[in-house]
């Protein structure tokens, strides 16, 4: 299974694209501005989108992508998300004011997009090119949100994506039960902005250290940092660097194989 990093920034700036991952060629995980780097053929090959939540940096490209490839498709693009996320999209985006309601265009019987409710704990099987198992994981954010565990349906380890979240014991309880190839986890703010991170239910390096301490002692996999704010990325990177040897874990602790996501990077799972 291949995961292509289309965008992994917490905001836009030159060379900074917001959250979106292309799994193989047919599954999109979140639809941030990074989707805009895909060709029309690549966008047209996507049949399923799973969204973590309704915030703009995770859904901004969805209506534009639909507009770009709708005439090339012979079936609706399937969007899977929590009910609250779908309600937000219907109310605030596909409302015939901000954007046309593509769930009823060109007709209710044959729309450009169809919406499908999911719930935390649900397991999906999606993929038209290569079947994938997707488990919906819990997240703790300012709006209803989730993360995902994705693996090839034939078996093998999981690619785990936390989505946007703050402290999340239920997430780690489930992740510790899975065979994990790699974890992608957000750290949006520096420690200097720790109060803002807590208020907005994001992680900072200090809370990331607390969260990583929940990983079971027999688990060892690379951890990729995503969703840093462009203005704070260097500061966040510096503060996280010490986690690699465990020196900033409470009472010391194990070190971690911590890496940085880069747009246009490709992860092999």
């Amino acid at each position: 299974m291949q995961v292509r990093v289309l965008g992994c920034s917490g905001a836009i700036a030159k060379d900074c694209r917001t959250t979106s991952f292309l799994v193989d060629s047919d599954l999109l995980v979140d639809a941030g501005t990074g989707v805009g780097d895909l060709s029309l053929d690549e966008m047209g090959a996507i049949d399923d989108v799973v969204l973590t939540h309704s915030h703009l940096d995770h859904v901004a490209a969805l209506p534009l992508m639909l507009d770009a490839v709708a005439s090339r498709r012979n079936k609706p693009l399937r969007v899977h998300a929590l009910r609250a996320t779908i309600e937000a999209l219907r109310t605030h985006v596909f409302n015939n004011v901000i954007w046309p309601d593509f769930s009823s265009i060109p007709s209710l019987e044959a729309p450009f997009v169809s919406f499908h409710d999911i719930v935390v704990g649900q397991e999906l099987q999606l993929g038209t090119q290569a079947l994938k198992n997707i488990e919906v994981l819990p997240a703790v954010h300012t709006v209803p949100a989730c993360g995902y565990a994705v693996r090839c349906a034939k078996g093998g380890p999981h690619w785990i994506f936390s989505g946007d979240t703050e402290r999340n014991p239920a997430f780690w309880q489930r992740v510790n039960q899975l065979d994990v190839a790699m974890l992608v986890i957000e750290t949006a703010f520096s420690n200097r902005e720790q109060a803002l991170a807590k208020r907005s239910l994001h992680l900072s390096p200090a809370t990331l250290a607390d969260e990583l301490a929940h990983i079971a002692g027999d688990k060892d996999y690379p951890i990729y940092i995503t969703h840093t704010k462009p203005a704070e990325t260097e500061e966040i990177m510096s503060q996280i660097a010490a986690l690699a040897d465990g020196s900033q874990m409470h009472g010391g602790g194990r070190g971690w194989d911590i890496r940085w996501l880069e747009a246009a990077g490709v992860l092999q799972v």
Side-chain angles (χ1 to χ4, degrees):
M1 190 174 73
Q2 176 180 282
V3 180
R4 181 174 164 189
V5 184
L6 304 179
C8 54
S9 176
I12 60 168
K14 187 180 186 320
D15 298 325
C16 294
R17 295 157 178 81
T18 66
T19 304
S20 187
F21 303 93
L22 182 63
V23 183
D24 292 332
S25 61
D26 53 357
L27 172 66
L28 192 66
V29 179
D30 277 343
T33 63
V35 175
D37 285 340
L38 294 175
S39 69
L40 287 173
D41 287 343
E42 289 170 326
M43 285 189 280
I46 297 168
D47 288 319
D48 292 281
V49 180
V50 293
L51 300 175
T52 58
H53 64 295
S54 60
H55 282 162
L56 191 61
D57 54 327
H58 296 255
V59 304
L62 178 61
L64 298 170
M65 180 182 78
L66 276 165
D67 199 31
V69 299
S71 63
R72 294 177 165 222
R73 297 188 59 83
N74 56 20
K75 58 183 177 181
L77 177 72
R78 298 182 292 263
V79 175
H80 311 265
L82 300 175
R83 176 171 295 181
T85 301
I86 293 173
E87 289 175 352
L89 288 172
R90 289 185 179 279
T91 302
H92 302 294
V93 179
F94 297 102
N95 59 4
N96 291 318
V97 177
I98 299 299
W99 207 249
D101 178 11
F102 280 176
S103 66
S104 62
I105 296 174
S107 70
L108 288 171
E109 295 73 27
F112 288 143
V113 64
S114 61
F115 294 108
H116 305 269
D117 291 0
I118 60 175
V119 296
V120 170
Q122 184 175 350
E123 293 187 27
L124 311 171
Q125 279 202 335
L126 303 176
T128 50
Q129 303 300 318
L131 196 62
K132 289 161 280 289
N133 286 351
I134 301 106
E135 181 174 340
V136 186
L137 300 175
V140 178
H141 200 37
T142 55
V143 295
C146 62
Y148 292 104
V150 184
R151 68 173 175 85
C152 176
K154 295 179 180 180
H158 294 78
W159 175 75
I160 306 287
F161 177 41
S162 71
D164 285 10
T165 189
E166 218 250 357
R167 298 173 192 269
N168 190 358
F171 173 83
W172 298 110
Q173 181 178 5
R174 180 56 184 147
V175 168
N176 282 334
Q177 297 171 344
L178 300 175
D179 181 11
V180 180
M182 61 190 69
L183 165 67
V184 175
I185 188 167
E186 69 115 295
T187 309
F189 293 95
S190 68
N191 286 334
R192 177 172 50 84
E193 298 282 6
Q194 192 168 350
L196 179 58
K198 183 176 182 180
R199 179 178 179 181
S200 58
L201 294 180
H202 282 288
L203 295 176
S204 63
T207 48
L208 173 67
D210 291 340
E211 289 298 276
L212 296 185
H214 289 285
I215 297 177
D218 62 343
K219 301 288 186 179
D220 186 18
Y221 43 78
I223 297 163
Y224 289 86
I225 305 301
T226 189
H227 207 283
T228 60
K229 301 295 183 182
E232 295 190 74
T233 294
E234 290 187 8
E235 187 176 359
I236 294 168
M237 290 174 66
S238 175
Q239 292 169 353
I240 288 180
L243 298 180
D245 62 10
S247 63
Q248 287 191 3
M249 303 295 281
H250 289 316
R254 62 189 281 193
W256 298 103
D257 179 3
I258 297 179
R259 309 179 187 184
W260 295 92
L261 276 191
E262 294 183 2
V266 175
L267 305 173
Q268 298 292 339
V269 183

